[in-house]
Amino acid sequence: MNSPEAPLMFSQLPQPLRYAQALLEHFSRLAGLTDSRRLCQGLVESASQLTGCELSQLYLLDDTHTQLTLAAEWHENNWQIREQAGLPSDYHREQLLQYCLCQNQILAIDTLDSSLHDTAFLPDSATPWRTLLCLPLLSEARHVLGVLLTASTQSLRLGNFADSLGLLGNFTVSQLGLLQRVDTVPAPATAEPAPDRPCPSGYGLIGNSPAMRTLYQLLGKVLHNPVNVLLTGETGTGKELVARAIHDYGFRRTRPFVVQNCASLPENLLESEMFGYRKGAFSGADRDHTGLLDAADTGTLFLDEIGDMPLSLQAKLLRVLQEGEVRPLGSTDTHKVDVRIIAATHRDLKLLVEAGTFREDLYYRLAHFPIELPPLQERGQDILQLARHFAEQACVFLQRPLCRWSQAAESQLLGYPFPGNVRELKGVVERAILLCDGNELLPEHFSLEDAADTSRNLRERLEQVERNLLIESLRRNQGNQTSAATELGLPRRTLLYRMQRLNICAADIRSREKADARQ
């Protein structure tokens, strides 16, 4: 107890010396356990006894860091086993656990209110749960491995136990890691991924198409794993958004996210920006300058258009990836950095390697986990979901009421190939909002008439579908244009415009109706 930090850890407890002695005994007992299951059970039992709580739970992330598993539970002086013990790591219903896990923050609630907090993950209790403590469990590299939870139906100051329980929990997960590395116990059967596990989705991205759900699954594999990621795909597919999602929802979320486009700067300037320089390194270097790699230390560096990086600079980047070392320009000393690299390109790096313009060793270093983003034309109804999102953003920015979408405008968007992908869609929608004088987006508001020849047949078919739809509505309403417009949800002037553009004559519709009636 001579350490200046020890009194601070136990100062808020009623009997600090007795508690410290009990904590040491629990450390010793857990250190002697050589079975993973008993070690998990021992931790929750110790947490419950040290805090006086009726409940203690241990949640652990699996090897892929995409599922949180209830590894052990101590409830009312007994170990408990629950059937549904697995939860996706991006779950939405257990916000308290999610906050602790994703934000790497201690969560202590002295007054737990079931009307404010979703506590479905807690077992049923005759007396409502009143206090809760959630602790993130960390590896030696400060990566989140799980959550230790204690809860009580009594009014307890559980936050006072956070530091000591955190040490005990981190010690336990470290012991679990040692046991796994020496293979003292076989992997449990539950370690295999459940075949019917729902696909995680979201990560701040928009879209529910099969292509995007596949993308979400791949993102879930790398969120909490320190591997380099290579994002490929056509231009405009949202590679920077995906890179930011990996950072914001991963274990480095609280650290810097730095972006650099490798095609935007000449070679010398790009090198000085990435690695920094010392005063006097070159003409005009009148002070030390911190590079992007140092700025992104402990965080993420996103290198867009990596295929355009000069060969000489590729060699220096390779050393960063291999050794984690950076040497600024004008310096003879190197220093270590801990940076996760996410690279992106719309070019085929394998072809660049064959052409000798991209280093093969760097390619394999970057492509530990390649993810290809789907083009927009393969995402189906995501096009409309994205279009509505961009339209709402534009309306809010312009401070105007939200616009409705006509079926014809939606059909036109679905039929257009969008060679510029999401970036082009965003520009098209924003322009349409500016052109729309009323409150309904129509096909004429979208500049899609100059589509490539390969889409002309499709556009003609869409126009034929629209023409048939208008004719059928007019026939049902005996040629009454006002009634037809109301049925279609269009202003009458819009219906007249579409009829004129599609060569539909109301007189012909009425004549056809009379002829059918006589027959």
Side-chain angles (χ1 to χ4, degrees), residues 191-233:
E192 298 181 0
D196 298 327
R197 190 172 66 195
C199 170
S201 61
Y203 303 118
L205 306 176
I206 296 175
N208 295 308
S209 62
M212 289 301 292
R213 292 182 66 81
T214 300
L215 174 64
Y216 298 148
Q217 287 183 326
L218 292 175
L219 294 184
K221 302 296 183 182
V222 298
L223 292 182
H224 306 287
N225 292 312
V227 298
N228 299 320
V229 179
L230 177 62
L231 303 176
T232 61

Side-chain angles (χ1 to χ4, degrees), residues 144-273:
V144 179
L145 300 179
V147 176
L148 177 63
L149 176 149
T150 58
S152 176
T153 59
Q154 306 173 33
S155 295
L156 301 176
R157 303 285 293 181
L158 295 182
N160 298 336
F161 298 93
D163 292 338
S164 57
L165 284 187
L167 292 176
L168 189 65
N170 293 340
F171 169 77
T172 302
V173 295
S174 177
Q175 291 293 99
L176 287 172
L178 289 174
L179 291 177
Q180 292 173 357
R181 283 195 290 272
V182 299
D183 294 326
T184 56
V185 293
T190 55
E192 298 181 0
D196 298 327
R197 190 172 66 195
C199 170
S201 61
Y203 303 118
L205 306 176
I206 296 175
N208 295 308
S209 62
M212 289 301 292
R213 292 182 66 81
T214 300
L215 174 64
Y216 298 148
Q217 287 183 326
L218 292 175
L219 294 184
K221 302 296 183 182
V222 298
L223 292 182
H224 306 287
N225 292 312
V227 298
N228 299 320
V229 179
L230 177 62
L231 303 176
T232 61
E234 298 178 5
T235 181
T237 50
K239 292 185 280 290
E240 183 173 342
L241 286 177
V242 173
R244 185 171 291 277
I246 294 174
H247 174 81
D248 290 344
Y249 289 82
F251 64 93
R252 295 176 185 257
R253 64 185 65 84
T254 61
R255 310 307 301 167
F257 178 77
V258 180
V259 179
Q260 176 60 53
N261 189 307
C262 299
S264 64
L265 297 175
E267 179 178 349
N268 293 336
L269 185 55
L270 179 61
E271 182 178 8
S272 63
E273 281 298 305

Side-chain angles (χ1 to χ4, degrees), residues 207-480:
N208 295 308
S209 62
M212 289 301 292
R213 292 182 66 81
T214 300
L215 174 64
Y216 298 148
Q217 287 183 326
L218 292 175
L219 294 184
K221 302 296 183 182
V222 298
L223 292 182
H224 306 287
N225 292 312
V227 298
N228 299 320
V229 179
L230 177 62
L231 303 176
T232 61
E234 298 178 5
T235 181
T237 50
K239 292 185 280 290
E240 183 173 342
L241 286 177
V242 173
R244 185 171 291 277
I246 294 174
H247 174 81
D248 290 344
Y249 289 82
F251 64 93
R252 295 176 185 257
R253 64 185 65 84
T254 61
R255 310 307 301 167
F257 178 77
V258 180
V259 179
Q260 176 60 53
N261 189 307
C262 299
S264 64
L265 297 175
E267 179 178 349
N268 293 336
L269 185 55
L270 179 61
E271 182 178 8
S272 63
E273 281 298 305
M274 285 189 58
F275 293 88
Y277 54 81
R278 294 291 179 258
K279 181 179 179 180
F282 51 83
S283 177
D286 55 353
R287 57 182 177 81
D288 290 349
H289 176 71
T290 300
L292 298 179
L293 286 165
D294 285 303
D297 192 18
T298 71
T300 304
L301 176 61
F302 174 56
L303 297 176
D304 199 6
E305 301 300 345
I306 189 70
D308 295 311
M309 177 177 284
L311 275 170
S312 59
L313 196 53
Q314 293 177 26
K316 295 194 68 174
L317 178 61
L318 180 63
R319 180 164 184 82
V320 175
L321 295 174
Q322 289 178 334
E323 308 296 337
E325 293 181 349
V326 172
R327 187 176 71 178
L329 295 178
S331 174
T332 58
D333 298 325
T334 62
H335 58 273
K336 293 283 187 178
V337 293
D338 175 21
V339 179
R340 181 182 198 172
I341 300 294
I342 302 178
T345 181
H346 71 281
R347 306 175 68 180
D348 190 334
L349 292 186
K350 289 185 178 180
L351 294 180
L352 296 182
V353 170
E354 294 175 0
T357 58
F358 199 85
R359 295 181 62 102
E360 184 177 13
D361 46 6
L362 178 59
Y363 168 73
Y364 288 114
R365 280 286 179 178
L366 291 174
H368 281 178
F369 200 94
I371 299 178
E372 183 174 4
L373 275 63
L376 184 58
Q377 62 181 345
E378 295 181 3
R379 294 176 55 180
Q381 293 295 320
D382 287 354
I383 295 176
L384 299 183
Q385 190 175 355
L386 286 164
R388 295 188 186 98
H389 172 72
F390 294 143
E392 290 177 6
Q393 283 187 328
C395 289
V396 171
F397 177 76
L398 296 173
Q399 297 182 354
R400 58 173 293 174
L402 298 180
C403 294
R404 299 192 307 270
W405 286 80
S406 67
Q407 291 184 351
E410 292 180 344
S411 298
Q412 188 181 41
L413 289 184
L414 290 174
Y416 184 70
F418 284 105
N421 294 292
V422 181
R423 184 182 293 119
E424 181 183 7
L425 173 64
K426 185 174 186 291
V428 165
V429 171
E430 290 175 347
R431 181 178 184 274
I433 295 295
L434 291 173
L435 294 175
C436 181
D437 294 327
N439 199 35
E440 184 174 32
L441 292 171
L442 305 172
E444 56 265 28
H445 297 140
F446 296 89
S447 55
L448 303 179
E449 297 301 327
D450 295 329
D453 292 338
T454 54
S455 67
R456 184 169 300 167
N457 290 335
L458 176 60
R459 187 170 66 249
E460 290 174 355
R461 289 196 295 269
L462 289 173
E463 288 180 351
Q464 184 62 44
V465 170
E466 182 183 358
R467 190 174 191 277
N468 293 337
L469 180 65
L470 296 182
I471 291 175
E472 289 175 3
S473 179
L474 287 167
R475 292 189 63 185
R476 282 194 298 270
N477 291 280
Q478 291 79 43
N480 188 310

Side-chain angles (χ1 to χ4, degrees), residues 40-48 56-58 72-74 79 148:
C40 293
Q41 293 176 336
L43 173 61
V44 294
E45 182 181 1
S46 296
S48 178
S56 180
Q57 295 176 329
L58 172 63
E73 180 180 79
W74 179 266
W79 292 320
L148 177 63

